[in-house]
Amino acid sequence: MLGKLIKNEFKATARTFGVMYLIVFIITVVLKIFVEIENAFHIDNVVVNILVGVTNTVFIFGIIGVVIGTVILILKRFYDSMLKREGYLSFTLPVSVGQHIASKSIVSYVWIIASFVFIIAIVATLFIGNLAAFVGMRNELIYLIKEISRQNLWKYIIMIAVLMMLAIYTYIAMGYACFSVGQAWTGNRIAGAIATYIVFKIIIEIVSAIGVYLLFNNNMNATLENVGIGDAIFQPILIFAIVQQVVIAILSTIATYYALSRKLNLE
């Protein structure tokens, strides 16, 4: 049943994300055309320069829009399908609350990764035809890989990648938890979600500060200032950050599950 939930969730969100990606892609193509025309014909015209500048600005806002839009869309989807009238239908299905949370978390995670890949792709689109730029980036990448290998830093790179992947899920889990808990203790669900987020962040910051002090009290200056990837303290800090993300994600998921199971108040 989880597979069917995931499939339906993708169907429900694909059109909205597709439209968002299409709009930004069209903006990217228009910008690429203007830049190519300007470079090919060596045009130094005020009108053309203004068009390129405006399109470039719109392109930048488009990238920002994809980032912010992805977050808004996945949270809105959860809010609409679980906490509003659509929730009546969701909770009449023969599936558990845990399966609902899992399906939405998986689909949201995939869309965040997809948006990240999309942004890389449209930026790369602007360099199509510019062989020198691609050669330069390739050379920089080769040099970076060689330096990482020479300094034996791959374990740190892997840990940072794990931390980033965990952080993505943590943000999703916290968002779901804020809406789920917030709707249970206030009449205004959005205000409740914001208030819950503030409370969660305060608690996390306090607990994190205490944890850092207890674990690294002999290296407080190192943990707060000028920590390099090769420093001895860097690996313990990464491990602490990874464990912290795991704990926050688990607690957020538990809070979401409890609120939807015991404190649900649909509109």
Side-chain angles (χ1 to χ4, degrees), residues 45-112:
N45 183 277
V46 175
V47 175
V48 174
N49 292 337
I50 291 175
L51 288 174
V52 172
V54 170
T55 310
N56 190 51
T57 302
V58 174
F59 172 76
I60 294 173
F61 278 109
I63 293 178
I64 297 173
V66 169
V67 175
I68 298 176
T70 299
V71 175
I72 292 175
L73 288 174
I74 62 176
L75 292 179
K76 185 178 184 301
R77 173 60 187 168
F78 177 83
Y79 177 72
D80 290 342
S81 63
M82 300 297 287
L83 301 175
K84 297 183 73 175
R85 291 183 179 180
E86 191 178 336
Y88 287 105
L89 175 60
S90 298
F91 286 105
T92 56
L93 296 174
V95 295
S96 66
V97 172
Q99 287 177 315
H100 277 301
I101 296 172
S103 65
K104 294 186 184 303
S105 298
I106 291 170
V107 173
S108 295
Y109 199 96
V110 171
W111 281 125
I112 290 176

Side-chain angles (χ1 to χ4, degrees), residues 202-223:
I202 292 174
I203 294 174
I204 290 170
E205 292 299 325
I206 293 174
V207 173
S208 297
I210 294 173
V212 169
Y213 177 77
L214 293 176
L215 294 173
F216 307 108
N217 56 18
N218 293 326
N219 298 282
M220 284 300 291
N221 290 331
T223 58

Side-chain angles (χ1 to χ4, degrees), residues 57-203:
T57 302
V58 174
F59 172 76
I60 294 173
F61 278 109
I63 293 178
I64 297 173
V66 169
V67 175
I68 298 176
T70 299
V71 175
I72 292 175
L73 288 174
I74 62 176
L75 292 179
K76 185 178 184 301
R77 173 60 187 168
F78 177 83
Y79 177 72
D80 290 342
S81 63
M82 300 297 287
L83 301 175
K84 297 183 73 175
R85 291 183 179 180
E86 191 178 336
Y88 287 105
L89 175 60
S90 298
F91 286 105
T92 56
L93 296 174
V95 295
S96 66
V97 172
Q99 287 177 315
H100 277 301
I101 296 172
S103 65
K104 294 186 184 303
S105 298
I106 291 170
V107 173
S108 295
Y109 199 96
V110 171
W111 281 125
I112 290 176
I113 299 300
S115 293
F116 177 74
V117 173
F118 174 76
I119 289 173
I120 294 176
I122 61 171
V123 171
T125 300
L126 297 178
F127 292 95
I128 293 176
N130 190 341
L131 183 60
F134 278 110
V135 171
M137 286 187 288
R138 186 199 64 179
N139 293 338
E140 289 293 330
L141 181 60
I142 293 173
Y143 173 78
L144 180 62
I145 292 173
K146 287 182 178 179
E147 281 298 303
I148 292 173
S149 300
R150 185 179 67 82
Q151 299 183 40
N152 298 316
L153 299 177
W154 281 113
K155 65 178 180 179
Y156 298 115
I157 300 300
I158 293 173
M159 291 175 69
I160 291 172
V162 170
L163 177 59
M164 292 175 64
M165 299 299 283
L166 285 171
I168 292 173
Y169 179 75
T170 299
Y171 280 114
I172 295 171
M174 275 194 65
Y176 289 175
C178 289
F179 275 103
S180 300
V181 174
Q183 60 84 33
W185 62 275
T186 179
N188 189 321
R189 294 165 186 264
I190 304 298
I194 295 173
T196 303
Y197 176 78
I198 294 172
V199 172
F200 281 1
K201 286 297 291 183
I202 292 174
I203 294 174

Side-chain angles (χ1 to χ4, degrees), residues 34-45:
F34 282 154
V35 171
E36 289 299 320
I37 291 174
E38 187 178 39
N39 293 336
F41 297 99
H42 304 288
I43 299 175
D44 187 13
N45 183 277

